[in-house]
Amino acid sequence: MGYIYADNAATTKMSRHAAEVMLGVIENNYANPSSLHTPGQLAAVQLAESRQAIAEILNCEPREIIFTGGGSEADNQALLSAAAIGQRKGKKHIISTKFEHHAVLHTLQKLEKQGFEVTYLDVHENGIVRPEDVKAAIRPDTVLVSVMYANNEIGTIQPIRAIGAICREQGVLFHTDAVQAVGHLPIDVQADNIDMLSLSAHKFHGPKGVGALYARKGVALTSLIEGGAQERGKRAGTEDLPAIAGMAAALQDAVRDMDANTARVSALRDRLIEGLSAIPHSTLTGDREHRLPGCASFCFEGIEGESLLLLLDQKGIGASSGSACTSGSLDPSHVLLAIGLPHEVAHGSLRLTLSPENTPEEMEHIIQAVTDVVAYLRLISPVWNDLQKGIKNYVIQ
Amino acid sequence: MGYIYADNAATTKMSRHAAEVMLGVIENNYANPSSLHTPGQLAAVQLAESRQAIAEILNCEPREIIFTGGGSEADNQALLSAAAIGQRKGKKHIISTKFEHHAVLHTLQKLEKQGFEVTYLDVHENGIVRPEDVKAAIRPDTVLVSVMYANNEIGTIQPIRAIGAICREQGVLFHTDAVQAVGHLPIDVQADNIDMLSLSAHKFHGPKGVGALYARKGVALTSLIEGGAQERGKRAGTEDLPAIAGMAAALQDAVRDMDANTARVSALRDRLIEGLSAIPHSTLTGDREHRLPGCASFCFEGIEGESLLLLLDQKGIGASSGSACTSGSLDPSHVLLAIGLPHEVAHGSLRLTLSPENTPEEMEHIIQAVTDVVAYLRLISPVWNDLQKGIKNYVIQ
Amino acid sequence: MLYSDKVMDHFLNPRNLGTIDDADGVGEVGNAKCGDIMKIYLKIDNDIITDVKFNTFGCGSAIASSSMATEMIKGKPVDEALKLTNKAVTEALDGLPPHKIHCSVLAEEAVQAAIADYRTRNGLPTDDIPSCNGCCGGCHSHDHGHGHDEE
Amino acid sequence: MLYSDKVMDHFLNPRNLGTIDDADGVGEVGNAKCGDIMKIYLKIDNDIITDVKFNTFGCGSAIASSSMATEMIKGKPVDEALKLTNKAVTEALDGLPPHKIHCSVLAEEAVQAAIADYRTRNGLPTDDIPSCNGCCGGCHSHDHGHGHDEE
Ligand SMILES: Cc1ncc(COP(=O)(O)O)c(C=O)c1O
Ligand SMILES: Cc1ncc(COP(=O)(O)O)c(C=O)c1O
């Protein structure tokens, strides 16, 4: 069996189709869309078509989409834009959650330094924000609610439509970081009551370094990058047309094949969850039902995640622990702490994220390998030793 | 003769080699460099190698390079970082020039709104900043000097080393927007006394949507995009490794072939300058000697640039007027105004920017086409009519 | 693409290009500083525009707008020509990019200026002709950001 | 790559893995909250470390550091083992990533704690042994940004 890549929430392999589209643009449509000559205007046409394609999928107007250099940039721009709006209106309160991606959390921290107040909502043990918590947190000076569409570590899907409805009703802007959701879940910014949405192409088999920010007409964006008037003056810099066209192609494919992919991938995921649940003192992290089709996330008591990953890698399996993190064992994931796991358990996490390229045989291989590696690491773990001897008590039964 | 692309300052076609490197990474090294598993670590290795390659070329340390989403982002980050340093030190004066790219100018305008004072230096008729003007402008509260390495519209090369030496001596930070220079001119950040430098890959036959910011060790960068700790915490977002590796390959090739390319391209340019100078009441814009090898820029009295471009396009020539600008005839280029041309003359500008792919035959075709089109447009121009009748006086003799 | 086929056609094959030495009315609007000048020459016989020519310094849509405007008034009574609107010119061209609309305004104004000249020469009243300040409004109302891209 | 070949070798093939039931000294440092616990077991004969075993809960470099540290003290007099520094462990592993240096500190402290236990059991003085607070310094001095990447 070849190497099993099961880290698709970190990044995906570009699809052949998206790569071909990208290469076609690189070779045949390389001019600057701002140029007046025919090659430039042909580039402008392709730019407009890509925007149109993405807008249709999200159910918005093309002019409501701006292209960015990735999901983080889109998140930053969404929050800073809302903050600028709040600043103008004297509304300096923002509501978000404890388990957002750092692109959101670190931007919120920056805003806190600038005098904004942020309420970080609980996500409860199942990793799902409660719309009623959002409603209760809204104040007269609340300018923005930002809740991710699906969590990148535990894959839980949030009740976006209900949260959006509350925000709409209360006249508060609603942003969702949909980086893990776009291309994997059906999204409709109108029906979901979304004012701003961030997406990133490399999470759905598109190119890296490109993303988009949807901002409803009337929501004034602040530009992070000043310069030329590309993207209606909201994001300067020569457009990365090959990547933008590749992103549009990847998203069209993902949406066209969504039902089939979901069926295939969630069957693989369910087998993984079943198999890994058989390991004693293990727990699935995040809600069993409301989760991304490709995401199986676990904690194993008594072991530490980095060594688990490295040993799985030796067995030909690429996975991650919490979020992809080279800091090793120091900081346990803020997401796992947010769902109430104690530090020592949060350290023993494993995230397997699948794509339609994965196979049922690979799932059996993963289950066997994880079972073996967890057993080995427990054997050499003084913590496990103490648990077994009853010196400490198990957290996970 | 096929279509002649002579708009390489707007953007270049990716080289076959760079495209192959990019495609190789897309197919074989697609993992996230932050992931711990082998595919992730192989991506991290390639990321480090790309950084190393670019650092060697600029003569700096790899850790002094951060990758960005393009030249505009690098410019924005350089200026905002310097401003943050200035803010901390109570130094709120910046020196730049009148003919910087809008990525610099618009960021400076943003800083002016935040209380910074900016001196915009003259660039004189030859389009070259004088080091003594820089020296004279430095004040005790000057934190930064930002002067572009080579201008994107008229191709003039600035005395960067001398300006850098003055800044070093006076203890002022020195940034240069080298987007048009990198890959075309020899650059050595040590010898040139540069503290920060911006570059963009698509200007030297690399991919679009990727660039780099060199910042000398000790110059604290402010991040525009918060999130993960990629790029030492100074630029969040999953790294666009295919583009970064493609950029490194393109730059290595450009530097390896620089002498040959310069000889070839400047011979083509010189023929263009010779041929177009024969058009009556025309003028080369910018210094004749200190100019980018591939840049021929002209103004023709009595005609307007957009119609010139469109008619050249009809004759199979892709050029630009001032900077690539879809706004047509409204705003004449700030660069041409900065070198002292009156509005009406600045409107009649043409920029031809060459690459090693262009041929001597193409130059003859361009010279003939421009000569014909200028004559035609003058024939239908009421302005030219007045000039000929002596109702108005020629600006260009 | 930037321009409609109609605009490109009128830009590449302008109708009524040229000057009329013994014109009965000549109108010039715009200025070189703004980047657009249109000059329209009229031959008028019995209040009918029997011939019209133009010269234009300006962008593609300025040339196309002049060409279209001259087509639209040729053979028409002066009174009818006076009713030519920039909207009609734009529509006849199958539209113009938003930041180019001022070119059609300029064409409307050039026609009006030429007719005003004709009337003045003939001692006819000009008070039904809006006065043109010599430069299209578009020039100064241009604000940064509406499609003003650059590399 | 993240780790040197030496680190990977000691991580994948740890030396002296296990426990010693009748150990003469046992030291445990770190805590599960921090994500690293090392436990070292010593057999000491005539002030010579005749056998050593370890158990570790922690990352790759924690396991490798434990393995390397036990190798380095095995067969050595206790006094010499006490001189083992985290620097020596790191060097023997051909280096550790900057944010993993604390793992080698933990290994040094685990050895010291085991020897302290041996001395205490035998009524020997322990004042030449730096006291360990039970958790490596690295755990709390960890600041955001040094290589802490994520997707
Ligand atoms: C001098 C100069 N600076 C900055 C830029 C911006 O680079 P990018 O388009 O890669 O953002 C350009 C070209 O676009 C340029 O010519
Ligand atoms: C939920 C979420 N938001 C934002 C991001 C950032 O996206 P990017 O890496 O494209 O900047 C990621 C992944 O990296 C993510 O999973």
Side-chain angles (χ1 to χ4, degrees):
Chain A
M1 189 170 296
Y3 194 89
I4 303 171
Y5 185 73
D7 199 11
N8 287 283
T11 194
T12 61
K13 179 170 184 176
M14 243 178 113
S15 72
R16 184 154 296 274
H17 179 218
E20 272 161 14
V21 167
M22 193 162 168
L23 202 68
V25 177
I26 285 174
E27 283 181 354
N28 306 314
N29 206 0
Y30 59 86
N32 191 319
S34 298
S35 296
L36 283 177
H37 44 62
T38 302
Q41 290 300 302
L42 290 173
V45 167
Q46 180 136 27
L47 183 65
E49 285 172 358
S50 303
R51 202 185 304 278
Q52 173 78 34
I54 292 172
E56 270 171 26
I57 286 170
L58 296 179
N59 191 21
C60 66
E61 290 179 27
R63 50 173 279 121
E64 296 178 314
I65 300 285
I66 72 162
F67 295 122
T68 68
S72 300
E73 186 185 328
D75 280 340
N76 277 250
Q77 188 165 11
L79 300 185
L80 295 183
S81 298
I85 293 168
Q87 184 87 46
R88 285 195 294 273
K89 295 190 176 169
K91 293 185 169 193
K92 298 188 70 171
H93 176 239
I94 295 172
I95 298 168
S96 189
T97 78
K98 292 189 174 152
F99 78 160
E100 298 296 312
H101 190 268
H102 283 150
V104 168
L105 288 181
H106 290 160
T107 306
L108 291 175
Q109 282 161 17
K110 179 156 119 180
L111 289 171
E112 286 179 297
K113 286 199 198 112
Q114 293 169 19
F116 282 80
E117 197 184 325
V118 182
T119 300
Y120 297 94
L121 296 177
D122 267 341
V123 295
H124 309 282
E125 318 79 67
N126 62 351
I128 295 184
V129 180
R130 300 198 185 136
E132 57 268 32
D133 290 354
V134 174
K135 188 162 189 177
I138 291 178
R139 314 190 311 208
D141 64 340
T142 305
V143 61
L144 174 77
V145 170
S146 178
V147 175
M148 67 200 316
Y149 211 108
N151 183 270
N152 50 311
E153 285 186 39
I154 57 175
T156 49
I157 301 169
Q158 306 305 311
I160 292 304
R161 188 167 296 192
I163 296 172
I166 290 167
C167 295
R168 191 66 42 106
E169 187 191 286
Q170 306 279 318
V172 171
L173 290 173
F174 178 44
H175 165 252
T176 184
D177 172 349
V179 167
Q180 291 289 341
V182 170
H184 302 282
L185 301 174
I187 295 180
D188 176 330
V189 294
Q190 307 299 329
D192 289 348
N193 307 300
I194 297 168
D195 294 314
M196 289 193 271
L197 174 147
S198 319
L199 63 89
S200 182
H202 72 99
K203 306 291 189 183
F204 49 81
H205 303 279
K208 302 187 204 300
V210 67
L213 174 59
Y214 153 78
R216 190 171 51 70
K217 220 170 27 219
V219 177
L221 290 180
T222 302
S223 63
L224 300 187
I225 301 175
E226 306 279 347
Q230 292 93 349
E231 304 300 309
R232 299 187 298 113
K234 299 309 180 193
R235 204 281 187 179
T238 304
E239 301 88 341
D240 187 0
L241 186 62
I244 289 167
M247 167 162 70
L251 187 54
Q252 285 178 310
D253 291 351
V255 169
R256 183 195 59 208
D257 302 337
M258 194 181 285
D259 289 348
N261 286 343
T262 300
R264 181 178 168 82
V265 166
S266 58
L268 298 174
R269 173 202 67 186
D270 291 347
R271 172 62 193 127
L272 267 190
I273 292 178
E274 178 189 45
L276 297 180
S277 297
I279 297 176
H281 304 286
S282 71
T283 183
L284 180 74
T285 52
D287 195 78
R288 176 68 187 84
E289 293 310 318
H290 301 96
R291 61 167 50 235
L292 288 168
C295 179
S297 54
F298 274 84
C299 276
F300 304 103
E301 190 151 11
I303 66 162
E304 190 278 333
E306 187 200 289
S307 43
L308 172 59
L309 291 193
L310 292 175
L311 290 173
L312 288 177
D313 182 52
Q314 290 293 318
K315 291 181 182 281
I317 297 164
S320 88
S321 177
S323 61
C325 175
T326 57
S327 80
S329 53
L330 291 170
D331 280 338
S333 142
H334 69 286
V335 173
L336 300 175
L337 299 181
I339 60 172
L341 292 173
H343 278 70
E344 51 271 39
V345 173
H347 280 297
S349 73
L350 175 68
R351 179 185 73 175
L352 296 156
T353 46
L354 309 172
S355 88
E357 300 280 295
N358 291 113
T359 64
E361 298 71 50
E362 289 179 346
M363 298 308 106
E364 299 312 316
H365 188 80
I366 293 175
I367 292 166
Q368 191 58 54
V370 174
T371 307
D372 293 349
V373 169
V374 168
Y376 165 73
L377 286 173
R378 283 175 172 173
L379 194 73
I380 71 167
S381 162
V383 176
W384 184 253
N385 215 329
D386 288 353
L387 289 166
Q388 292 251 292
K389 286 193 187 139
I391 298 171
K392 285 182 189 155
N393 292 324
Y394 291 104
V395 174
I396 308 174
Q397 295 315 318
Chain B
M1 189 171 297
Y3 194 89
I4 302 172
Y5 184 73
D7 199 12
N8 286 282
T11 193
T12 60
K13 178 169 186 177
M14 244 178 112
S15 71
R16 184 152 294 276
H17 179 218
E20 272 162 13
V21 167
M22 194 161 167
L23 201 69
V25 176
I26 284 173
E27 284 182 353
N28 305 314
N29 205 0
Y30 59 84
N32 191 319
S34 297
S35 296
L36 283 176
H37 44 61
T38 303
Q41 290 301 302
L42 290 174
V45 167
Q46 182 140 24
L47 183 64
E49 285 172 357
S50 303
R51 202 185 303 278
Q52 172 79 34
I54 292 172
E56 270 171 25
I57 285 170
L58 297 178
N59 190 24
C60 68
E61 289 179 26
R63 53 174 276 121
E64 295 177 315
I65 300 285
I66 71 162
F67 295 122
T68 68
S72 300
E73 185 184 330
D75 279 340
N76 277 251
Q77 187 165 12
L79 300 186
L80 295 183
S81 298
I85 292 168
Q87 185 88 47
R88 284 196 294 274
K89 295 190 178 167
K91 293 184 170 192
K92 299 188 70 172
H93 177 239
I94 295 173
I95 298 167
S96 189
T97 78
K98 291 189 174 151
F99 76 160
E100 297 297 312
H101 190 269
H102 283 151
V104 168
L105 289 181
H106 290 160
T107 306
L108 291 175
Q109 282 159 17
K110 176 156 121 181
L111 289 172
E112 285 179 298
K113 286 199 197 108
Q114 292 170 18
F116 282 80
E117 197 185 325
V118 182
T119 301
Y120 298 95
L121 296 177
D122 267 339
V123 295
H124 309 282
E125 316 81 68
N126 63 351
I128 295 184
V129 180
R130 300 200 184 133
E132 58 269 30
D133 291 354
V134 175
K135 188 161 189 176
I138 292 178
R139 312 190 312 208
D141 63 341
T142 306
V143 61
L144 173 76
V145 170
S146 178
V147 175
M148 67 201 314
Y149 212 109
N151 183 271
N152 49 311
E153 285 186 39
I154 56 173
T156 49
I157 300 169
Q158 307 305 311
I160 293 304
R161 187 167 297 192
I163 296 172
I166 291 167
C167 294
R168 191 67 42 106
E169 187 193 287
Q170 307 278 318
V172 173
L173 289 173
F174 178 45
H175 165 254
T176 184
D177 171 349
V179 167
Q180 291 289 344
V182 169
H184 301 283
L185 301 174
I187 295 180
D188 176 329
V189 294
Q190 306 299 329
D192 288 347
N193 307 300
I194 297 168
D195 294 315
M196 289 192 271
L197 175 146
S198 317
L199 62 89
S200 182
H202 72 99
K203 305 290 190 185
F204 50 80
H205 303 278
K208 302 187 203 304
V210 66
L213 174 58
Y214 153 78
R216 190 171 51 69
K217 224 174 19 225
V219 177
L221 291 179
T222 302
S223 62
L224 300 188
I225 302 173
E226 307 278 347
Q230 293 92 350
E231 303 300 309
R232 299 188 296 112
K234 299 309 178 191
R235 206 281 185 178
T238 304
E239 299 90 342
D240 186 0
L241 186 61
I244 290 168
M247 166 161 71
L251 187 54
Q252 285 178 310
D253 291 351
V255 169
R256 183 195 59 207
D257 302 335
M258 194 180 288
D259 289 349
N261 286 343
T262 299
R264 179 179 170 82
V265 166
S266 58
L268 298 175
R269 173 201 67 187
D270 291 347
R271 172 62 192 129
L272 268 191
I273 292 179
E274 180 188 45
L276 298 180
S277 297
I279 296 176
H281 304 287
S282 72
T283 184
L284 180 74
T285 53
D287 195 78
R288 176 70 189 83
E289 292 310 318
H290 300 94
R291 62 166 48 235
L292 288 167
C295 179
S297 54
F298 274 84
C299 275
F300 304 102
E301 190 150 11
I303 64 163
E304 191 277 334
E306 188 200 288
S307 43
L308 172 59
L309 290 193
L310 292 175
L311 291 173
L312 289 178
D313 183 50
Q314 289 294 319
K315 291 181 182 282
I317 297 164
S320 89
S321 178
S323 60
C325 174
T326 57
S327 78
S329 53
L330 291 171
D331 279 339
S333 141
H334 69 287
V335 173
L336 300 175
L337 298 181
I339 59 170
L341 292 174
H343 279 70
E344 50 271 37
V345 172
H347 280 296
S349 73
L350 174 68
R351 180 185 73 175
L352 296 155
T353 45
L354 310 172
S355 88
E357 299 280 294
N358 290 113
T359 65
E361 297 70 50
E362 290 179 346
M363 297 308 107
E364 300 312 316
H365 189 80
I366 292 175
I367 292 166
Q368 190 58 54
V370 174
T371 306
D372 293 349
V373 169
V374 168
Y376 166 74
L377 286 174
R378 283 176 172 173
L379 193 73
I380 71 169
S381 162
V383 176
W384 183 253
N385 215 328
D386 288 353
L387 289 166
Q388 292 249 293
K389 288 192 185 139
I391 297 172
K392 285 183 190 156
N393 293 323
Y394 290 105
V395 174
I396 308 175
Q397 294 314 317
Chain C
M1 310 295 282
L2 184 58
Y3 292 131
S4 70
D5 290 347
K6 258 305 191 6
V7 173
M8 283 310 285
D9 178 32
H10 277 264
F11 168 61
L12 295 173
N13 312 295
R15 328 300 198 249
N16 308 310
L17 192 59
T19 57
I20 300 177
D21 281 345
D22 58 344
D24 299 313
V26 179
E28 181 175 311
V29 295
N31 71 47
K33 204 175 164 197
C34 294
D36 293 296
I37 295 187
M38 279 182 203
K39 194 162 183 177
I40 285 189
Y41 301 79
L42 301 176
K43 275 308 279 182
I44 296 175
D45 194 5
N46 230 335
D47 248 32
I48 302 286
I49 296 173
T50 54
D51 198 10
V52 49
K53 298 275 181 206
F54 79 91
N55 263 0
T56 291
F57 162 95
C59 63
S61 57
I63 293 173
S65 297
S66 325
S67 166
M68 180 56 85
T70 56
E71 278 278 274
M72 293 172 83
I73 60 167
K74 198 169 175 174
K76 296 277 160 64
V78 167
D79 284 356
E80 211 175 299
L82 261 187
K83 292 191 194 124
L84 180 80
T85 62
N86 83 297
K87 197 154 162 286
V89 174
T90 305
E91 276 166 14
L93 288 168
D94 291 345
L96 285 171
H99 59 288
K100 294 292 193 179
I101 294 295
H102 77 281
C103 294
S104 63
V105 175
L106 214 55
E108 175 192 321
E109 291 176 350
V111 169
Q112 290 165 353
I115 295 174
D117 180 47
Y118 159 74
R119 295 246 182 105
T120 309
R121 290 195 203 181
N122 292 282
L124 300 169
T126 60
D127 41 295
D128 58 332
I129 306 176
S131 75
C132 167
N133 60 8
C135 181
C136 66
C139 187
H140 297 299
S141 73
H142 176 67
D143 64 321
H144 173 72
H146 59 254
H148 183 102
D149 289 9
E150 66 187 285
E151 86 274 19
Chain D
M1 310 295 281
L2 185 59
Y3 292 132
S4 69
D5 290 347
K6 260 295 190 19
V7 173
M8 284 309 286
D9 178 34
H10 276 264
F11 168 62
L12 295 173
N13 312 296
R15 328 300 198 248
N16 307 310
L17 194 59
T19 57
I20 300 176
D21 281 345
D22 58 345
D24 300 312
V26 179
E28 180 174 313
V29 294
N31 72 47
K33 205 176 163 196
C34 295
D36 293 293
I37 296 188
M38 280 182 202
K39 193 161 183 177
I40 285 189
Y41 301 80
L42 301 176
K43 275 309 277 183
I44 295 175
D45 195 6
N46 230 335
D47 249 29
I48 302 284
I49 297 172
T50 55
D51 199 9
V52 48
K53 295 275 182 209
F54 80 90
N55 264 0
T56 291
F57 163 95
C59 64
S61 56
I63 293 173
S65 297
S66 324
S67 167
M68 180 56 85
T70 56
E71 278 279 273
M72 291 173 84
I73 61 168
K74 196 169 175 175
K76 295 277 159 64
V78 168
D79 284 355
E80 211 175 300
L82 261 187
K83 291 191 195 126
L84 180 79
T85 62
N86 84 297
K87 197 154 163 286
V89 173
T90 305
E91 276 166 13
L93 287 168
D94 291 343
L96 284 171
H99 58 289
K100 294 294 194 177
I101 294 294
H102 76 281
C103 293
S104 64
V105 174
L106 214 56
E108 174 193 318
E109 292 176 351
V111 169
Q112 289 164 356
I115 294 174
D117 179 49
Y118 159 74
R119 293 251 182 99
T120 310
R121 291 194 202 182
N122 292 282
L124 299 169
T126 60
D127 40 295
D128 57 334
I129 306 178
S131 75
C132 168
N133 62 6
C135 182
C136 67
C139 187
H140 298 298
S141 73
H142 177 67
D143 63 322
H144 173 71
H146 59 256
H148 183 100
D149 290 9
E150 67 188 283
E151 84 276 17

